[in-house]
Amino acid sequence: MTRINTNVASLRGQRSMAKSDKMLASAMTRLSTGVKINNGKDDPSGLIAGETLGSQISTIEKSISNSNRANNVLTTADGALGEIGGLLNQVRGLVQEGLNDGALSQEERDANQLQIDNALTAINRISSNTSFAGDKLLDGSKAFTTTISSADNAKLSSYSINQALLGSASKLDLDATIDSAAEQASLVYSGGDFTSAATLEIGGRNGTEVVQLGDSASMEDVTTAVNALTDATGVSARVLDGTVASGNQVIAVNSQDVEFALTEAGRKLVDGGGLSIEIVAPSADTTESIELIDNEDGTFTAKMTLGYGSGAITSDIDAIVTAFDGLTNSDGDTLFDVAAAADAVGATLGTALAETDLDKGALRIDDVRGPNNRGGVSLAFTATGTSQALGISVSGDDITIQLATDANDVVTSTLEDIKDLLDSSGLTLSDGTSIAEALNIEIDGDKDLLANGLSASELDTTNGTSLVLESEAYGSDEFVSVNVLNGTFGTTGIGDFSTELRRDSGEDIVASINGQKAVGRGLTASINTANLTASVTFDSASNSKDESVAIDVTGGGAVFQIGQDVTISGQVGIGIDAVNTARLGGTAGKLFELTSGGGKSLSDVASGNASGADLVNILDGAINEVSSLRGRIGAVQKNVIDTNINTLGVALENISEARSQIMDTDFAVESANLQKAQILGQAATSVLSIANQSPQRALSLLG
């Protein structure tokens, strides 16, 4: 090179030296800080990725910390609940001992009651004082706040919001609708009053008992006997609302039609063995008379002796009507309601009437609807006008039947005609139930007896002829069974009276909550979703299809931020209602009633003012509530929080590794880069020194 103004080789040397210096500085910075990306220009996209992962790591670390703290809170609550559970079990034992009345003195009973009072006071103290970092846990401050209308509240026996996550919303709706009502287990007996003894084994969820019934047991006797054992069996009995409409029998007396209608007392004689009528004519002068004769074989005869004088019968048709209308049984109950055809009134008699058996014939009608709908149905029969067709009309729960008549205004409708009409009318009662579904209609005896003379009747238990045995509670866990050990006691299902049935089970409620199918058990419908865990228990009076309630969750509860996302997917909320003697218990009562003066203490049981079973049921309910709450808390800890901690721990490892690969210095690589930069720097220095000496060769050309 012979140019001296521009030394290109020197410039190259300078650039190489600057580059090696930059490389050396970068390697030294990374080695000294341990961080690969120390500023944005080191790796812009890597910096963004690294900072994003760093933020996620910080979030995960705090989520794990939050989860551990949530665990600590719930463990504190669970420990306190464990103490309450222990106290309840202690009280349960004291009550059990206190009920051993025959072996305890008053002093011992008082000592047991004192321990019960102290234990219940301790439960309230634990409820009030259990806290975490100054935050109360069991006094109800961790319960969810809800609003519900008074009308909807009356439809429920209880409801519970166990978890509710509102997110950014001001409230969370809970809308529950019954799609299919819960049912009790039930069996129906339609045999009427007993004519022979029977021994029954009645079984239910609580157990099995034997019932012995006499040969003259009435429906009321059966009801009383079964209900006396309800606590032991879980089965109760009641007479269905019903009525009996007896058919009339037309008998020709000297070619004159006389219509004999049986009263309830007369029907019982026919059902019991038989009832016949006999009209005799004496050969000597006598006045007319009538008597009821017990044939001592289970049958009876209504015998009338006609009046006779001057060689002829002096009684007429009117006398027969009057005599039979006035005939009574030993209890003074009228047996007949007798009427003669219009053209027969006043007609004289020429001969007597041989003994004629009266046919049994009656419509037996029972209201078989559920407890929320039954009652209030009435039946009325009209026979006005000539040549009328059989017809039916319904107004609310009042049923009116127009009986068919002929051209002479004589009723032609039979008992079978009426049954067929009621079964096929398609008309509905006030609650929307069809007549065919609401009423069970059976014919006892002769279906061809005339329906003339049927009167208006209310369907009620007084006139009922069927008995239903049903479980005390609702749901598929309930059952009723009847095993006939001796005698006769035929039972059927509530919906099929033609098939004998010895055992029936209840059905659980089918309901929807917020449009989703709920889990039904008895009268309780429950739902468990990501943002709502709740249950509603309908009152039995509101256990009807399409019944609905609305509850608004407006806040409250204990919400734990255990996930990365600040949304309901990263949160868990749990509601803890107050756990004290005013809230614990069940349908039988609350715990505070077991204290002295509470109305259900051991002294109240001893004096007969309270039932020992009530005390036990209250305690069992309280123990179940506490254990259920502990189980719910434990499930959240084990299945939600602990698994969340494990999941976040794995995520933290993987994300930290990913960030380390982006952000952290690889010392092996950077050590090599440092050596490389040092060597290149030294080489650049030597080369630059040589390049700077090159222009001096131009001086030799000048010399």
Side-chain angles (χ1 to χ4, degrees), residues 395-448:
S395 176
D397 289 328
D398 299 325
I399 304 172
T400 301
I401 295 176
Q402 167 67 52
L403 299 174
T405 60
D406 62 15
N408 295 318
D409 197 17
V410 175
V411 172
T412 59
S413 297
T414 65
L415 299 182
E416 185 176 37
D417 294 336
I418 295 177
K419 171 177 167 56
D420 292 342
L421 176 66
L422 289 170
D423 284 340
S424 62
S425 69
L427 299 176
T428 59
L429 300 175
S430 61
D431 65 350
T433 307
S434 69
I435 292 177
E437 292 175 331
L439 304 181
N440 177 50
I441 305 162
E442 301 290 342
I443 297 177
D444 286 339
D446 189 353
K447 67 181 186 302
D448 295 322

Side-chain angles (χ1 to χ4, degrees), residues 424-490:
S424 62
S425 69
L427 299 176
T428 59
L429 300 175
S430 61
D431 65 350
T433 307
S434 69
I435 292 177
E437 292 175 331
L439 304 181
N440 177 50
I441 305 162
E442 301 290 342
I443 297 177
D444 286 339
D446 189 353
K447 67 181 186 302
D448 295 322
L449 288 186
L450 295 179
N452 188 26
L454 298 184
S455 59
S457 177
E458 294 284 342
L459 270 64
D460 54 32
T461 56
T462 302
N463 296 317
T465 64
S466 294
L467 182 79
V468 62
L469 305 174
E470 57 193 3
S471 60
E472 284 287 276
Y474 292 76
S476 57
D477 291 338
E478 304 297 324
F479 72 92
V480 174
S481 65
V482 175
N483 182 22
V484 181
L485 304 178
N486 180 48
T488 302
F489 192 82

